[in-house]
Amino acid sequence: MTRILKIIPQRSIYSYIHKRRMSSTPTLPKFIVWAPDYADEGALQRRLAVRPTHLENIKKLVSQGTLRLGGGFMTPESVDAAAADKKFLGSCIIFEGEDIDVVRKLVEEDVYYKNDVVCVLAVTM
């Protein structure tokens, strides 16, 4: 399987405004990660097999304030389907980190990435 990790530096209106707000609490830059699932026959089984470990790691990142928001995307017909019948399209995550290399390392250490559940197409600021 081919992995693609493309870094796209990008300024948005939100980050422009957010960085210029008056605040007594310093914040770190936010990064959006789009990670589509592999579409091969065993992708869902790989996702479900490592999901408990993935969720435990996510809880740690949330409690540390590193992971701000995230979740999986499913096909519309999968929303009410049984777990074995769900079809995931991928995940989108918003991280807060010192720089893009810190975020890249977090993504590459995740069990979904290590076990070929997701490939990361973009990490943007």
Side-chain angles (χ1 to χ4, degrees), residues 51-70:
R51 189 170 191 263
T53 304
H54 170 74
L55 293 176
E56 283 301 314
N57 293 337
I58 292 300
K59 286 178 188 176
K60 291 175 192 171
L61 293 172
V62 169
S63 69
Q64 295 168 358
T66 304
L67 192 148
R68 306 304 289 176
L69 179 70

Side-chain angles (χ1 to χ4, degrees), residues 16 25 28 31 58-59 61 94 98 110:
Y16 179 80
T25 308
L28 295 171
F31 298 88
I58 292 300
K59 286 178 188 176
L61 293 172
I94 299 176
E98 291 180 22
D110 186 78

Side-chain angles (χ1 to χ4, degrees), residues 3-4 7 28-29 32 39 47 49-50 58 67 81-82 84 92 94 125:
R3 292 180 184 248
I4 302 169
I7 307 300
L28 295 171
I32 300 171
R47 177 184 268 272
V50 296
I58 292 300
L67 192 148
C92 187
I94 299 176
M125 183 173 166

Side-chain angles (χ1 to χ4, degrees), residues 13-99:
I13 294 296
Y14 173 78
S15 66
Y16 179 80
I17 293 169
H18 182 70
K19 288 178 182 176
R20 283 154 180 79
R21 276 195 299 186
M22 299 300 274
S23 174
S24 59
T25 308
T27 60
L28 295 171
K30 308 228 179 358
F31 298 88
I32 300 171
V33 176
W34 168 239
D37 279 18
Y38 285 105
D40 62 276
E41 187 75 25
L44 179 60
Q45 289 75 23
R46 290 193 305 273
R47 177 184 268 272
L48 296 177
V50 296
R51 189 170 191 263
T53 304
H54 170 74
L55 293 176
E56 283 301 314
N57 293 337
I58 292 300
K59 286 178 188 176
K60 291 175 192 171
L61 293 172
V62 169
S63 69
Q64 295 168 358
T66 304
L67 192 148
R68 306 304 289 176
L69 179 70
F73 286 93
M74 291 182 262
T75 61
E77 58 275 1
S78 295
V79 174
D80 295 323
D85 297 327
K86 292 188 184 293
K87 292 184 175 89
F88 285 86
L89 300 173
S91 302
C92 187
I93 309 107
I94 299 176
F95 286 102
E96 189 171 280
E98 291 180 22
D99 59 45

